[in-house]
């Protein structure tokens, strides 16, 4: 296979389906109305409810949902070969992930920007809402553990990315002040931000910050407590807006680069297309592709975390209902294209990166050593960033070290965004649980609520094994996706009532995902769970809550549509 063919096919799939399937969802299922006031306008508070420019919101939404997921997951899944991972990314992206993201966002918009957990409680029962909130809190705990481990690893392996990332945060705060307080022209602010961003990359290249992984864990813990408590305009909106430029620059540069190397005859895939059904992936154990693939590839194909972002922060900032398609549906397609570039780059240059690290890998030992070596010696992000950098070098002559730094900043910027967004969402879930049980007011304090989540999450990353934490996070995350889709299916079937068979476009993927992920988590507990008792305990709690939620969904599904209240907007 040639990288140019894969990149071209991906572009064709995503562009054509956005304008056909996506528009059909917008018009026939959601019935989006540009004249219906969104919560950002009706409930404006200057903190969480703030209307945003569609590109700014797209940047925030994409940067928050992307994180390291669409890069790390496909990179590790290469243990099965490039073809199985690529097919799962495209299939999951089109039929599950994008539908899930868009409906989670728009159902929240119709319910005053309430969370998907709150909507589940409204459509099913109060018990459902409580179970969902608890499930979300535990899932976000694993999100923080997994992403903190990824970022600390990037900063240790590529110290220049640490310098650039810290400077990037300061630049974002400056841009927020310029745009919202000084109120300078939007285009001038954008130009200033981009110039400073390029300067940050150069400074990072010249002055890397070298520190241990433990030091970075402490830094990350303090950072996300502060960042998740600030008003969204101070850091979240301007940082994610700038992130969008890093994203687009990286995507266009990478897409064009792998088209060029393909046309030059240098883009032939050297990695195997398929290795074995049970490559050594999850916990380093032989892992059957089905059902364990969703434990490895999270955000690139589908992700329940996206429903929390869509119904947690994005829905409160949507300026117009028609912007939802770009933000929710387009954001997920962009992730799929990013994962396609990741798979293509490693398929072409992965063996070369292994050789750089002194590891001999070939078609015979690929399935056994690929994932364990990536997790330990090569680096989960390094395997991508170096492969990507080799592509830039062969296409444009860009220095490999500079290309590696840029790719590492790319990943760390998104992972940092996901990290503090996850903390903010975890705080929301915690506060809603305390509210439901009438707990002490002090536990609802935003600093205390954030700190409790962060202490457990960072602590888990500190002591955990990455190949155990990542699949546990992914499993809980994908289970969350199926529960969110089931909630969305009730909203579609009982409230929206689309014509024809459109409700099945949500129900069938939700049920398929529920069966797959439940089986995968059961497999995980049996074969890998003993590696970390705390991760196993969280997984068991998640499975128990998952069964409770699906029972509530079944009872709600049987009720006639007339028993449901109309949407609030």
């Amino acid at each position: 296979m040639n990288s140019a063919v894969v990149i071209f096919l991906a572009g064709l799939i995503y562009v054509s389906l956005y304008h056909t399937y996506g528009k059909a969802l917008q018009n026939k299922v959601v019935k989006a109305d540009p004249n219906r006031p969104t919560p950002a306008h009706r409930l404006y508070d200057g903190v969480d409810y703030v209307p945003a420019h569609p590109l700014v919101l797209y940047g925030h939404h994409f940067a928050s949902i992307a994180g390291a997921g669409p890069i790390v997951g496909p990179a590790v899944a290469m243990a099965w070969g490039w073809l199985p991972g690529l097919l799962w990314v495209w299939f999951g992206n089109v039929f599950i992930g994008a539908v899930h993201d868009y409906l989670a966002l728009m159902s929240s918009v119709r319910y005053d920007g309430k969370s998907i957990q709150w909507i589940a409680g409204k459509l099913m029962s109060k018990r459902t809402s409580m179970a969902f909130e608890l499930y979300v809190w535990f899932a976000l705990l694993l999100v923080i553990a997994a992403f903190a481990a990824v970022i600390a690893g990037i900063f240790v392996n590529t110290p220049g990315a640490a310098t650039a990332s810290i400077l990037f945060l300061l630049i974002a705060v400056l841009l927020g002040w310029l745009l919202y307080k000084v109120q300078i022209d939007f285009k001038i602010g954008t130009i200033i931000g981009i110039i400073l961003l390029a300067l940050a990359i150069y400074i990072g290249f010249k002055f890397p910050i070298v520190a241990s992984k433990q030091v970075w864990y402490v830094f990350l813990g303090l950072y996300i407590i502060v960042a998740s408590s600030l008003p969204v305009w101070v850091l979240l909106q301007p940082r994610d807006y700038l992130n969008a430029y890093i994203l687009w620059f990286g995507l266009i540069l990478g897409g064009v680069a792998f088209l060029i190397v393909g046309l030059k005859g240098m883009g032939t895939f050297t990695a195997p297309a398929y290795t074995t059904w049970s490559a050594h992936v999850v916990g380093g154990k032989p892992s059957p592709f089905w059902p364990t693939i969703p434990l490895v590839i999270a955000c690139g194909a589908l992700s329940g975390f996206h429903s929390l972002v869509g119904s947690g922060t994005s829905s409160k900032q949507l300026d117009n209902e028609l912007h939802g398609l770009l933000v929710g549906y387009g954001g997920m397609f962009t992730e799929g294209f990013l994962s396609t570039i990741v798979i293509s780059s490693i398929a072409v240059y992965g063996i070369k990166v292994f050789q750089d690290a002194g590891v001999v890998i070939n078609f015979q030992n690929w399935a056994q050593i690929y994932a364990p070596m990536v997790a330990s010696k090569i680096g989960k992000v390094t395997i991508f960033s170096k492969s990507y950098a080799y592509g830039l070098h062969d296409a444009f002559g860009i220095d490999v070290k500079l290309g590696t730094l840029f790719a590492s900043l790319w990943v760390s910027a998104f992972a940092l965004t996901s990290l503090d967004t996850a903390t903010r969402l975890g705080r929301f879930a915690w506060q809603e649980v305390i509210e439901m049980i009438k707990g002490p007011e002090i536990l609802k304090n935003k600093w205390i609520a954030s700190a409790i989540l962060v202490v457990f999450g960072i602590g888990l990353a500190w002591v955990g094994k990455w190949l155990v934490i990542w699949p546990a996070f992914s499993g809980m995350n994908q289970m969350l996706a199926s529960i969110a889709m089931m909630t969305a299916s009730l909203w579609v079937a009982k409230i929206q009532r689309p014509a024809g068979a459109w409700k099945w476009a949500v129900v069938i993927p939700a049920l398929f995902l529920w069966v797959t992920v439940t089986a995968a988590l059961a497999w995980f507990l049996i074969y890998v769970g003993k590696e970390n008792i705390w991760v196993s305990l969280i997984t068991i709690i998640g499975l128990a809550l998952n069964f409770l939620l699906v029972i509530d969904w079944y009872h709600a599904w049987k009720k006639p549509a007339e028993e449901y209240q109309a949407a609030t907007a």
Side-chain angles (χ1 to χ4, degrees):
M1 181 57 73
N2 185 294
S3 62
V5 175
V6 172
I7 297 296
F8 176 76
L9 275 177
L12 184 65
I13 289 170
Y14 290 130
V15 171
S16 60
L17 286 174
Y18 181 90
H19 290 284
T20 54
Y21 197 57
K23 288 287 178 68
L25 284 171
Q26 174 186 262
N27 298 328
K28 296 180 179 179
V29 177
V30 172
K31 303 169 186 171
D33 181 356
N35 298 314
R36 182 187 280 122
T38 61
H41 291 283
R42 287 189 289 106
L43 304 171
Y44 177 85
D45 64 1
V47 179
D48 294 316
Y49 289 88
V50 181
H53 188 282
L55 291 179
V56 172
L57 186 56
Y58 168 84
H60 155 67
H61 185 81
F62 179 77
S64 296
I65 66 172
I71 295 170
V72 173
V76 175
M78 287 288 293
W80 284 294
W82 60 264
L83 185 58
L86 187 64
L87 291 178
W88 176 250
V89 165
W90 287 353
F91 171 81
N93 208 226
V94 170
F95 294 108
I96 307 176
V99 179
H100 162 276
D101 288 19
Y102 181 53
L103 294 182
L105 170 67
M106 295 311 296
S107 61
S108 173
V109 167
R110 295 291 172 82
Y111 284 103
D112 290 344
K114 298 286 188 183
S115 68
I116 193 74
Q117 310 91 284
W118 186 94
I119 298 170
K122 184 174 181 63
L123 297 177
M124 293 183 235
S125 70
K126 189 174 180 181
R127 182 183 76 169
T128 309
S129 184
M130 172 69 81
F132 207 159
E133 293 285 7
L134 287 171
Y135 186 95
V136 165
W137 192 85
F138 281 107
L140 290 172
L141 191 66
L142 289 174
V143 170
I144 291 173
F147 281 47
V150 167
I151 298 170
I154 294 173
F155 288 177
V156 169
N157 291 327
T158 312
T163 308
S165 297
I166 292 171
L167 291 174
F168 177 36
L169 297 176
L170 298 175
I171 292 167
V173 172
L174 174 63
L175 181 62
W177 178 72
L178 290 173
L179 290 178
Y180 290 96
K181 292 301 178 184
V182 179
Q183 295 189 333
I184 65 170
D185 182 78
F186 189 77
K187 290 179 182 176
I188 294 175
T190 300
I191 293 170
I192 292 173
I194 292 173
I195 291 173
L196 290 176
L197 194 55
L199 185 62
I201 295 174
Y202 176 77
I203 293 174
F205 188 62
K206 291 293 184 182
F207 305 100
I209 298 176
V210 179
S212 69
K213 188 175 281 189
Q214 286 69 31
V215 169
W216 289 122
Y217 280 143
V218 174
F219 167 80
L220 292 171
L222 295 173
Y223 159 72
I224 54 179
I225 289 174
V226 174
S228 65
S229 301
L230 294 172
V232 292
W233 66 266
V234 176
L235 175 63
L236 185 146
Q237 284 189 349
R239 178 204 52 200
D240 296 349
Y241 176 59
L242 288 177
N243 260 341
Y245 283 94
I246 299 178
L247 155 73
W248 280 111
F249 185 67
L251 279 179
I252 293 171
L253 194 66
V256 172
F258 283 94
L259 278 174
I260 291 175
V261 296
L263 295 173
K264 280 183 174 180
M266 303 166 71
T268 303
F269 286 6
T270 56
Y274 173 76
T275 56
T276 175
W277 177 254
S278 294
H280 292 235
V281 185
V282 182
K285 311 287 185 186
S287 313
F289 183 76
W290 191 93
T292 64
I293 181 63
L295 300 188
V296 180
I297 298 182
C299 306
L302 58 108
S303 167
F305 179 63
H306 299 186
S307 69
L308 305 184
V309 176
S311 67
T313 54
S314 300
S315 62
K316 297 177 178 65
Q317 301 173 66
L318 197 73
D319 187 34
N320 183 306
E321 283 200 352
L322 293 185
H323 298 166
L325 190 67
L326 170 68
V327 175
Y329 197 78
M332 189 63 218
F333 270 16
T334 315
E335 265 205 9
F337 188 66
L338 170 58
S339 292
T340 303
I341 290 178
V342 172
I343 292 171
S344 298
S345 62
I346 298 174
V348 176
Y349 295 104
I351 289 180
K352 187 176 178 62
V353 176
F354 268 80
Q355 289 171 344
D356 291 345
V359 179
V360 177
I361 191 167
N362 50 49
F363 279 38
Q364 285 69 43
N365 65 11
W366 187 284
Q368 285 74 39
I369 74 168
Y370 177 86
M373 279 290 134
V374 165
S376 58
K377 189 168 184 176
I378 308 293
K380 289 85 65 179
V381 174
T382 305
I383 183 70
F384 160 69
S385 57
K386 280 195 171 179
S387 297
Y388 180 88
Y390 277 125
L392 298 188
H393 178 267
D394 286 349
F396 307 115
I398 295 173
D399 182 88
V400 172
K401 285 186 178 178
L402 186 60
T404 302
L405 173 62
F406 172 69
S408 300
L409 172 65
W410 194 15
V411 183
S412 66
F414 292 138
L416 278 167
T417 303
S418 294
L419 201 55
D420 65 66
T421 299
T423 308
R424 186 182 292 265
L425 296 171
R427 169 165 64 83
F428 291 162
W430 174 271
Q431 290 169 327
E432 288 176 6
V433 168
I434 298 299
E435 179 74 31
M436 288 179 195
I437 64 174
K438 310 296 181 189
E441 280 295 314
I442 192 170
L443 291 181
K444 290 163 63 179
N445 178 277
K446 64 181 181 181
W447 297 100
I448 292 176
S450 299
I452 291 171
L453 184 69
V454 169
V455 166
F456 284 106
I458 295 292
L460 205 55
W462 196 300
V463 302
K465 294 180 180 177
W466 190 83
L467 275 180
V468 176
I469 290 177
W470 182 265
F473 141 69
S474 293
M476 290 283 283
N477 185 45
Q478 311 302 60
M479 183 60 73
L480 176 60
S482 78
I483 297 169
M485 281 200 78
M486 287 179 172
T487 301
S489 71
L490 283 177
W491 179 66
V492 168
K494 307 296 183 180
I495 304 294
Q496 296 300 101
R497 304 182 197 180
W502 274 101
K503 69 179 181 183
W504 298 109
V506 191
V507 177
I508 292 174
L511 294 176
F512 167 76
L513 193 59
W514 190 89
V515 171
T516 298
V517 182
T518 300
L521 283 176
W523 178 92
F524 176 83
L525 280 174
I526 294 170
Y527 293 99
V528 187
K530 60 186 178 184
E531 300 283 335
N532 188 309
I533 186 66
W534 294 109
V535 170
S536 295
L537 187 60
I538 292 172
T539 307
I540 290 170
I541 293 171
L543 270 173
L545 293 171
N546 160 60
F547 278 102
L548 184 65
L549 286 163
V550 82
I551 290 170
D552 287 352
W553 176 86
Y554 175 71
H555 289 304
W557 182 262
K558 290 200 304 181
K559 288 198 301 186
E562 289 71 24
E563 292 186 20
Y564 288 84
Q565 294 179 2
T568 54

